[in-house]
Amino acid sequence: MVQRGEEALGRPHRSLRSLKGGCGNSEEMAPPLQQSFMIPRKEINMVSDMGKWKRSQAYADYMGFILTLNEGVKGRKLTCEYNVSEPIEKLVALLNTLDRWIDETPPVDQPSRFGNKAFRTWYAKLDQEAENLVATVIPKHLADAAPEVAVYLKESVGNSTRIDYGTGHEAAFAAFLCCLCKIGVLRVDDQMAIVFKVFNRYLEVMRKLQKTYRMEPAGSQGVWGLDDFQFLPFIWGSSQLIDHPNLEPRHFVDEKVVNENHKDFMFLECILFITEMKTGPFAEHSNQLWNISAVPSWSKVNQGLIRMYKAECLEKFPVIQHFKFGSLLPIQPVTS
């Protein structure tokens, strides 16, 4: 029998310790002057390599980055005021370009309903232009970093062979943003804008890709998964709702509540998208989320989702085998 409530999420996790890999101050996060960049490559080739990933500097920095942003958006609405720096504006412009390319690349007529082949044409354009796009975001003195950082951007939009998209691609976008923090392009006071302005725009573009080209979910667990395509907006979105005076986890299955509040909260925006895309009772098509609606508080939901993310995404070989490692997110073991 499936348990609703806290059993759906497991035990609470330990308090956040020092978070490496978060957006630091420019001095703290800027690479040494002799930084040599490299094209990231696959390092996880078999299940036994997963230990290398969990001990790696990349894992520590990536997880630190996710948790730093989780703290940064706690209790804040998408519509609140926050600092928007020039690099943030440039990232939004980059995502607007990807959005425009979708309009310029309409789906083609084909016999199969899913996986429209026009996605490959769209992706080929990104593949060709990714370094130039990244070069518009980073300062000239860091131009050598563009080829390394661009790999994560290309990995973040889905697979052009299978025409699918999933949490591994989403992780590549978070890794892309993490790399921009590590080279000092994004700073500590960009935290809210990274989630609310950049990541939220990324989600809009990915939803448009999914709808336009009828992309398959990559490695979906079907009804037992949290969501076919995303995970991070549920983590950061639940953090936004911590200590909310009126909205409790039980409310997100209420259509009226979702319609009235989705513009303020990423979590509810995700629920709205699911209900637009799926038919039938919520408890049937999104059983894991329905279970979570019985958890008593948003802080418990948030802690549970972080544990679930590690277990269901970051510790799953089918997801991590595609992750790429370079100089900014190295496979080498954590040094400190």
Side-chain angles (χ1 to χ4, degrees):
M1 189 177 104
V2 176
Q3 295 289 319
R4 282 190 82 199
E6 287 177 67
E7 295 88 340
L9 292 169
R11 298 184 307 281
H13 82 305
R14 292 190 295 279
S15 62
L16 307 181
R17 287 196 218 92
S18 62
L19 300 179
K20 292 181 67 94
C23 289
N25 301 315
S26 53
E27 303 77 37
E28 194 186 309
M29 294 304 289
L33 294 172
Q34 277 73 41
Q35 171 88 31
S36 57
F37 298 103
M38 63 180 276
I39 299 297
R41 57 176 188 252
K42 282 175 63 163
E43 299 277 1
I44 308 301
N45 300 308
M46 51 186 83
V47 175
S48 56
D49 291 335
M50 288 296 285
K52 276 199 299 189
W53 155 242
K54 283 186 266 186
R55 291 189 296 273
S56 72
Q57 190 65 53
Y59 182 90
D61 287 351
Y62 178 86
M63 211 51 229
F65 178 68
I66 299 301
L67 294 174
T68 301
L69 295 177
N70 189 59
E71 285 293 297
V73 300
K74 196 185 226 171
R76 311 302 291 263
K77 291 181 178 181
L78 285 167
T79 47
C80 72
E81 285 192 13
Y82 49 84
N83 177 61
V84 178
S85 65
E86 193 181 341
I88 293 287
E89 295 281 18
K90 287 176 175 176
L91 281 165
V92 172
L94 182 159
L95 291 164
N96 290 343
T97 300
L98 300 188
D99 190 317
R100 192 182 74 245
W101 289 350
I102 301 172
D103 296 334
E104 292 167 4
T105 318
V108 295
D109 281 337
Q110 62 177 48
S112 62
R113 184 161 161 248
F114 285 96
N116 193 282
K117 291 181 175 62
F119 175 71
R120 292 179 183 150
T121 309
W122 181 90
Y123 183 85
K125 192 159 191 176
L126 173 61
D127 194 34
Q128 198 181 337
E129 294 292 329
E131 282 184 35
N132 294 333
L133 288 172
V134 170
T136 65
V137 176
I138 60 180
K140 286 198 166 49
H141 71 276
L142 290 169
D144 289 352
E148 177 167 346
V149 177
V151 167
Y152 295 104
L153 178 63
K154 288 191 282 189
E155 295 280 316
S156 73
V157 296
N159 182 285
S160 63
T161 308
R162 296 187 303 271
I163 314 182
D164 66 5
Y165 174 91
T167 51
H169 302 110
E170 177 191 69
F173 191 75
F176 166 69
L177 297 173
C178 183
C179 287
L180 292 175
C181 278
K182 293 196 77 174
I183 60 174
V185 171
L186 296 173
R187 309 287 178 84
V188 71
D189 58 352
D190 287 320
Q191 283 180 52
M192 284 170 66
I194 288 170
V195 179
F196 292 171
K197 196 126 181 111
V198 179
F199 192 81
N200 207 41
R201 184 72 185 106
Y202 165 75
L203 283 179
E204 288 170 0
V205 177
M206 291 308 103
R207 286 170 182 150
K208 187 168 172 177
L209 274 181
Q210 288 153 28
K211 285 204 273 198
T212 304
Y213 303 121
R214 300 300 303 244
M215 297 176 80
E216 298 269 19
S220 169
Q221 298 171 337
V223 72
W224 303 113
L226 185 74
D227 177 70
D228 281 342
F229 297 109
Q230 312 296 157
F231 204 115
L232 292 174
F234 292 96
I235 294 177
W236 296 330
S238 59
S239 181
Q240 282 185 275
L241 285 154
I242 289 173
D243 298 330
H244 192 284
N246 313 112
L247 296 178
E248 294 171 25
R250 65 190 170 91
H251 291 127
F252 77 73
V253 291
D254 181 330
E255 196 179 336
K256 185 171 180 284
V257 170
V258 171
N259 288 333
E260 286 173 1
N261 296 280
H262 70 93
K263 286 191 169 70
D264 285 327
F265 300 104
M266 204 172 247
F267 195 104
L268 301 182
E269 192 71 64
C270 289
I271 300 296
L272 184 69
F273 184 68
I274 290 169
T275 55
E276 281 174 7
M277 299 301 284
K278 296 191 173 184
T279 54
F282 191 86
E284 285 178 21
H285 64 61
S286 300
N287 191 265
Q288 270 287 21
L289 282 166
W290 183 75
N291 294 336
I292 289 168
S293 70
V295 176
S297 72
W298 285 112
S299 62
K300 279 194 161 57
V301 169
N302 184 247
Q303 289 168 359
L305 286 173
I306 290 165
R307 281 194 310 283
M308 194 191 283
Y309 184 60
K310 289 179 183 174
E312 297 302 322
C313 298
L314 302 186
E315 292 173 12
K316 286 282 191 282
F317 174 72
V319 176
I320 296 304
Q321 64 174 329
H322 303 294
F323 197 89
K324 292 186 175 170
F325 301 85
S327 71
L328 297 169
L329 290 169
I331 190 67
Q332 283 73 26
V334 175
T335 45
S336 53

